[in-house]
Amino acid sequence: MAAVAVHQFVQCITCHAWSPDQSMIAFCPNNNEVHIYKLLQDKWEKLHVLQKHDQLVSGIDWSGTSNRIVSVSHDRNSFVWNQEGPEWVPTLVILRLNRAALCVQWSPKGFAVCRWVSKVIRKKHNSSVTGVSWHPNNILLATTSTDGKCRVFSTFIKGVDTRESKTGSSSDPKFGEQILQLDLSSSWAFGVNWSPSGNTLAYVGHNSMIYFVDDVGPSPLAQNVAVRYLPLRDVLFVSEKMVIGVGFDCNPMVFAADKSGLWSFIRFLGERKESSSGPKSGSQISEAFGKLYGQSRQGLSNDTVEPSKIQGAAHDNCINCIELLKQKGPKTKRFSTSGMDGKVVIWDLDNQHDLREYL
Amino acid sequence: MAEAEKPVEPGSAEDVLTKIQNKSGRIENLIKQFILVEALQTALEDSPPQDERCKFANWTVVHKALMTVKDVEGRLLSLDPKYYDILMKYIYRGLSTGGPATCDRCLKIHWKLTAKAGFGCILRSLADTVNTV
């Protein structure tokens, strides 16, 4: 089984982030607080409660380089938390947003660029930014928004950032310059992620589509993959050729690229519930469809109905956050998901033999 | 028939209407020859037109093809998957008419199409507010 650990923390989790050594987890239990738990002798103990925000904390990230936590909230504020002794001390980051902040991410080099990011985002976006992802080169930033577009910006600052290797354009782009705008989705776009090399970008739309973009630059190559199931909320590249998508189906979905670079859905990662939507069990859905089609439950085909939940499904509500976990070996195999059921599930791809070729 | 003015060049809307009329003729022939899957595919071809009159004309043609569907499962098996999303949109249009025969047929097709194409198909037909039928 791919899910190696399931931890029920609270009723509902908005977002989560791991400490650099993965011994502690910070998450928002669907309120204005950030809870930090530590795994002590196989039990999770609540160590700290960070209370500074006035409204829902919608994004958390824990820097791998500086051990600082950044949190953003619907109250339009962002705090950077520094651990001083036993306490976590907040520093307010002025974002100057006139709407809620929904997402945040530390850059690979650990720069505290929340403020700058907010400046960039404010300029070009006309509606909520739902997802943010830094390119491994620490210069490009991708965002997804409720206007359905995915944009890539340069955050190159002369004198501060250094160009390590060849890049797409010959001249240095200005800070905040929009490199690319992708208008592939007609509905809200969520969850954007760069592949480990930075060559490919993936993001999802609320219309049950997932988009893969290669050659991000003047002439990008986009692939639109229609998802058979309910929409996804977040994506994660586990390797150059494998992406995990999570969302309303409560079960991580594996997408992979074949040798020619064509992406497609491979399978669900966890145990599969037959009727896979909605917050509670499949019986509600089957009953609703039964009434719609004017037939008894027994009469419906087994494609759409499974009255009882299959035991063993890891999440039983929408998964809204997926994070990479530090790996023991060279290949990425482990990641964690958190969802509206208040659970954090750790997944390991080690035993998934059919997926080995994509790692 | 006088209709609300739309910001569409008369030329292009008329052009589309003519194409739909031709399509209708072809579909009639296909139905007579019982080449029913082809009839449905021809009806669904060309993304939904923008103009309201064209949309209505196209719907009439698609409706004709839909009402000939007796063996729903068999028809869907042979239908090219690229037509699933657009068919779902027309199913919803059919369901919104309220006509008992149309709704009955559309409901049956909806059931089988959802089983075949998944919830994602329904999502896409709902989420696409640009290419409406």
Side-chain angles (χ1 to χ4, degrees):
Chain A
M1 169 130 132
V4 293
V6 177
H7 308 293
Q8 177 80 53
F9 283 107
V10 286
Q11 276 215 313
C12 177
I13 294 180
T14 324
C15 51
H16 74 280
W18 293 91
S19 64
D21 61 358
Q22 250 123 61
S23 64
M24 295 193 278
I25 185 171
F27 61 80
C28 169
N30 203 33
N31 59 14
N32 64 336
E33 298 169 345
V34 175
H35 290 202
I36 299 181
Y37 279 68
K38 193 179 172 88
L39 188 62
L40 296 163
Q41 289 158 342
D42 286 339
K43 257 191 78 183
W44 286 98
E45 303 278 341
K46 192 194 307 191
L47 281 193
H48 301 103
V49 175
L50 310 179
Q51 283 171 310
K52 211 70 174 113
H53 285 291
D54 297 324
Q55 289 180 44
L56 184 80
V57 177
S58 43
I60 299 176
D61 201 12
W62 203 320
S63 170
T65 48
S66 58
N67 198 39
R68 281 186 289 200
I69 297 178
V70 63
S71 62
V72 290
S73 159
H74 284 189
D75 64 5
R76 299 174 284 152
N77 283 332
S78 167
F79 287 98
V80 172
W81 305 82
N82 267 303
Q83 192 166 27
E84 283 165 27
E87 297 296 317
W88 284 90
V89 177
T91 311
L92 176 67
V93 179
I94 313 266
L95 292 182
R96 286 201 294 258
L97 295 175
N98 47 16
R99 293 248 160 81
L102 297 176
C103 48
V104 69
Q105 196 184 54
W106 286 108
S107 78
K109 294 218 177 113
F111 271 127
V113 288
C114 306
R115 177 178 166 191
W116 296 338
V117 163
S118 76
K119 202 165 85 172
V120 163
I121 286 174
R122 208 156 50 100
K123 252 197 257 177
K124 294 284 189 295
H125 292 79
N126 296 323
S127 49
S128 302
V129 174
T130 50
V132 136
S133 181
W134 284 94
H135 188 283
N137 70 6
N138 207 54
I139 292 170
L140 294 177
L141 184 68
T143 64
T144 47
S145 163
T146 50
D147 61 4
K149 301 195 196 346
C150 175
R151 296 175 174 85
V152 178
F153 296 90
S154 161
T155 60
F156 183 78
I157 299 168
K158 246 195 210 165
V160 177
D161 291 305
T162 48
R163 292 248 158 186
E164 281 173 353
S165 58
K166 54 179 175 9
T167 41
S169 54
S170 48
S171 60
D172 293 332
K174 282 190 346 236
F175 177 86
E177 185 178 315
Q178 186 178 279
I179 308 285
L180 182 67
Q181 179 175 293
L182 298 157
D183 200 359
L184 303 169
S185 175
S186 53
S187 61
W188 291 13
F190 290 103
V192 61
N193 199 236
W194 294 91
S195 66
S197 66
N199 282 335
T200 314
L201 189 60
Y203 70 100
V204 289
H206 205 54
N207 53 354
S208 289
M209 298 278 290
I210 180 168
Y211 303 96
F212 297 95
V213 187
D214 289 305
D215 299 332
V216 175
S219 40
L221 278 165
Q223 275 179 61
N224 303 4
V225 177
V227 173
R228 213 193 113 94
Y229 307 96
L230 293 179
L232 299 171
R233 285 297 305 276
D234 206 358
V235 279
L236 180 74
F237 270 92
V238 288
S239 75
E240 280 304 312
K241 291 199 280 185
M242 189 154 89
V243 163
I244 306 282
V246 291
F248 291 94
D249 259 309
C250 320
N251 203 333
M253 299 168 86
V254 182
F255 295 88
D258 63 15
K259 290 190 179 61
S260 61
L262 207 66
W263 288 89
S264 62
F265 170 68
I266 304 294
R267 64 172 172 88
F268 279 96
L269 200 53
E271 309 274 314
R272 176 96 174 97
K273 283 194 294 209
E274 271 305 304
S275 43
S276 57
S277 79
K280 294 297 174 189
S281 71
S283 60
Q284 279 186 359
I285 289 295
S286 65
E287 219 173 293
F289 269 110
K291 291 206 173 84
L292 179 67
Y293 300 134
Q295 304 203 5
S296 68
R297 264 204 268 165
Q298 285 77 27
L300 283 175
S301 76
N302 57 9
D303 276 325
T304 48
V305 170
E306 178 67 27
S308 60
K309 223 160 54 156
I310 290 178
Q311 295 305 314
H315 277 288
D316 38 32
N317 206 326
C318 171
I319 307 175
N320 49 24
C321 184
I322 181 170
E323 296 290 329
L324 202 58
L325 288 173
K326 250 203 205 130
Q327 315 302 319
K328 295 202 182 93
K331 294 210 176 118
T332 297
K333 283 194 199 138
R334 286 158 51 94
F335 58 91
S336 63
T337 54
S338 70
M340 285 165 47
D341 54 359
K343 292 187 188 162
V344 173
V345 179
I346 315 267
W347 303 81
D348 195 324
L349 299 171
D350 217 4
N351 295 330
Q352 312 300 304
H353 301 293
D354 59 325
L355 301 176
R356 281 247 174 95
E357 59 177 296
Y358 299 112
L359 285 174
Chain B
M1 188 159 80
E3 280 184 305
E5 285 297 318
K6 290 278 170 187
V8 171
E9 258 188 288
S12 64
E14 296 303 329
D15 188 41
V16 175
L17 277 174
T18 318
K19 285 203 176 93
I20 294 173
Q21 257 176 332
N22 293 339
K23 204 164 65 164
S24 180
R26 286 206 309 274
I27 290 168
E28 293 271 6
N29 283 334
L30 288 167
I31 292 175
K32 279 191 195 134
Q33 296 167 55
F34 291 102
I35 310 177
L36 299 173
V37 175
E38 181 87 28
L40 186 57
Q41 281 181 184
T42 312
L44 294 172
E45 236 151 40
D46 304 324
S47 45
Q50 295 301 314
D51 182 68
E52 276 308 315
R53 285 181 303 160
C54 301
K55 280 193 212 282
F56 183 75
N58 210 47
W59 158 242
T60 316
V61 167
V62 171
H63 180 244
K64 210 182 309 192
L66 283 178
M67 295 313 283
T68 67
V69 176
K70 298 274 187 311
D71 169 26
V72 179
E73 204 146 5
R75 188 75 71 89
L76 286 180
L77 266 173
S78 358
L79 188 66
D80 194 325
K82 70 178 183 190
Y83 292 110
Y84 287 166
D85 287 355
I86 182 79
L87 176 60
M88 186 58 85
K89 288 184 189 170
Y90 279 111
I91 295 295
Y92 276 102
R93 175 147 188 178
L95 289 172
S96 71
T97 61
T102 308
C103 283
D104 187 61
R105 184 59 52 83
C106 284
L107 213 47
K108 285 202 174 71
I109 301 177
H110 185 280
W111 171 23
K112 295 294 177 187
L113 185 58
T114 309
K116 207 155 184 2
F119 289 129
C121 185
I122 299 180
L123 253 301
R124 277 186 294 281
S125 70
L126 292 175
D128 192 351
T129 50
V130 171
N131 303 309
T132 51
V133 298

